[in-house]
Amino acid sequence: MSQKIEELARANVRALTPYQSARRLGGNGDVWLNANEFPLPVPFELSQQTLNRYPECQPKRVIERYAAYAGLTPEQVLVSRGADEGIELLMRAFCEPGKDAILFCPPTYGMYSVSAETIGIEYRTVPALDGWQLNLPAIADQLEGVKVVYMCSPNNPTGNLINQDDIRKLLEMTAGKALLVADEAYIEFCPEATLTGWLQEYPHLVILRTLSKAFALAGLRCGFTLANKPVIDLLMKVIAPYPLATPVADVAGQALSDEGIALMRQHVAELNANRAWLFEQLPQLNVVQQVFPSETNYILVRFSDSPKVFKALWDQGIILRDQNKNPGLAGCLRISIGTRNECERLIAALQALSLEQA
């Protein structure tokens, strides 16, 4: 019977490897440095008691506050179930399955390919250059039939910003042909690098944002798509009728208040200080081969024996994210920035491994 049910499914779904989120991969730890979350809970409480009613499709307070925070107008903002839903909405609105394609530059976020496969859209990859910058000539060769280009900046899992001159060239290259989607999930850690000021100049630019990282609300599942009104209007045609649950809109509105934004900036300052401390400590360890620059709340590190390091830390309850399967990232583990105490536990465990190896 189960065989027959599987045969009813679409062939591409039967063959699909789902996105391996940090939670799906599991582990029994008490130092979670694998999902780029903020390490401590935030103090919001539910205030809405209207759960008997359907929520607004686009909650007014959330949209207005996010627009003010991003320096945009409310008509340039769409809120959804995490930025992941925004990634998929863009494909559903702009890509014809079996006809159009998307393009992205690995190593990068894994959901671009999973969403494309799920919907039945071809995806093309143009590997990043050394330093994980865009290979513009190779992208130009692949653009025929591409409707959406995804570009993560700062990039996950590498942590680097994409060169803005290259982004302008890519915007010129895609004008009138495709959307360029800048995934800014980690932009709060380097706010000066945002492309929101470019929306007026480039009608085909789209920006993805989230409350999961710097705002410390990964469990809320609340993200934003920022674009010009014609793009937002098209996305409104394909979004679910009630994408944001009332409690989600309630907490998101609080997080985007003046006090909530001040709290977020305090969190960013703390994590950036911890990141700077890790940048001092990691290169001193002989199990570490290379520490890559980062503008985010994580650091990519290449180890001399990454499987051994990963397992030894896992066994001590310190959970990192293995990046070995990503192109160009052999030997690499990604370390989310935790509390200072968690960072100190990590370094102590790595020091012990370094002594063993000495």
Side-chain angles (χ1 to χ4, degrees):
M1 181 68 183
S2 62
Q3 182 64 31
K4 287 180 181 173
I5 292 294
E6 191 172 275
E7 285 169 6
L8 290 174
R10 291 161 56 201
N12 60 314
V13 173
R14 290 202 301 271
L16 180 68
T17 301
Y19 178 68
Q20 295 300 308
S21 68
R23 287 295 166 269
R24 266 191 171 179
L25 290 168
N28 293 307
D30 60 335
V31 179
W32 293 92
L33 304 180
N34 65 336
N36 302 341
E37 302 149 321
F38 187 74
L40 298 170
V42 280
F44 299 116
E45 293 182 5
L46 298 181
S47 62
Q48 299 294 317
Q49 301 301 321
T50 55
L51 299 184
N52 56 309
R53 302 292 180 197
Y54 285 111
E56 296 172 271
C57 177
Q58 294 290 289
K60 190 169 185 287
R61 183 174 77 157
V62 174
I63 294 289
E64 287 178 349
R65 287 187 172 179
Y66 202 88
Y69 164 67
L72 300 173
T73 63
E75 66 180 14
Q76 292 174 295
V77 178
L78 179 128
V79 64
S80 62
R81 291 167 289 200
D84 289 333
E85 186 177 21
I87 290 168
E88 202 154 294
L89 288 171
L90 288 158
M91 291 184 205
R92 285 169 50 201
F94 288 90
C95 299
E96 189 74 49
K99 179 185 170 190
D100 299 320
I102 67 161
L103 185 147
F104 55 89
C105 301
T108 193
Y109 184 41
M111 274 306 292
Y112 310 137
S113 60
V114 171
S115 291
E117 285 193 53
T118 303
I119 299 171
I121 297 163
E122 177 197 352
Y123 68 86
R124 297 180 195 162
T125 60
V126 175
L129 299 168
D130 290 346
W132 299 304
Q133 294 299 325
L134 302 173
N135 186 340
L136 290 171
I139 291 172
D141 289 344
Q142 292 286 327
L143 277 180
E144 186 67 37
V146 167
K147 283 286 190 70
V148 186
V149 177
Y150 290 90
M151 177 199 70
C152 194
S153 184
N155 187 44
N156 177 18
T158 56
N160 64 291
L161 285 164
I162 305 298
N163 181 304
Q164 292 206 338
D165 289 341
D166 289 350
I167 297 173
R168 280 201 186 272
K169 287 173 188 167
L170 186 53
L171 280 162
E172 285 154 17
M173 206 186 285
T174 50
K177 300 174 187 172
L179 298 182
L180 177 60
V181 181
D183 189 336
E184 292 189 348
Y186 299 93
I187 202 68
E188 278 77 18
F189 298 96
C190 49
E192 67 286 350
T194 183
L195 303 183
T196 48
W198 298 20
L199 284 170
Q200 196 167 358
E201 190 179 346
Y202 298 105
H204 60 304
L205 174 62
V206 180
I207 296 165
L208 297 172
R209 294 281 194 86
T210 184
L211 298 187
S212 294
K213 311 302 180 185
F215 279 92
L217 291 169
L220 201 64
R221 308 311 304 126
C222 183
F224 297 86
T225 303
L226 313 178
N228 289 298
K229 187 175 183 295
V231 174
I232 299 295
D233 288 347
L234 286 162
L235 297 182
M236 282 297 293
K237 292 186 174 189
V238 295
I239 198 169
Y242 311 107
L244 232 60
T246 297
V248 173
D250 183 359
V251 173
Q254 296 174 53
L256 293 165
S257 66
D258 290 344
E259 298 80 6
I261 290 168
L263 181 64
M264 176 273 289
R265 290 188 171 131
Q266 180 186 320
H267 290 157
V268 166
E270 290 168 11
L271 291 186
N272 284 351
N274 291 347
R275 185 182 70 200
W277 184 80
L278 284 175
F279 271 127
E280 291 172 7
Q281 301 296 319
L282 286 163
Q284 300 175 38
L285 303 165
N286 65 11
V287 291
V288 170
Q289 283 188 340
Q290 193 171 3
V291 182
F292 295 97
S294 174
E295 300 288 341
T296 64
N297 67 334
Y298 53 88
I299 301 175
L300 187 71
V301 181
R302 180 167 276 128
F303 290 89
S304 51
D305 187 347
S306 70
K308 181 183 175 182
V309 170
F310 183 82
K311 185 178 187 308
L313 294 177
W314 179 286
D315 290 345
Q316 294 174 59
I318 301 170
I319 315 298
L320 306 186
R321 190 68 183 263
D322 188 353
Q323 296 296 332
N324 273 279
K325 289 181 181 173
N326 260 321
L329 302 189
C332 290
L333 304 177
R334 192 190 68 194
I335 303 170
S336 303
I337 310 299
T339 63
R340 180 56 66 94
N341 177 259
E342 289 173 336
C343 293
E344 288 170 355
R345 274 188 60 184
L346 168 75
I347 293 297
L350 289 173
Q351 283 169 339
L353 281 172
S354 293
L355 287 172
E356 283 176 28
Q357 189 171 299

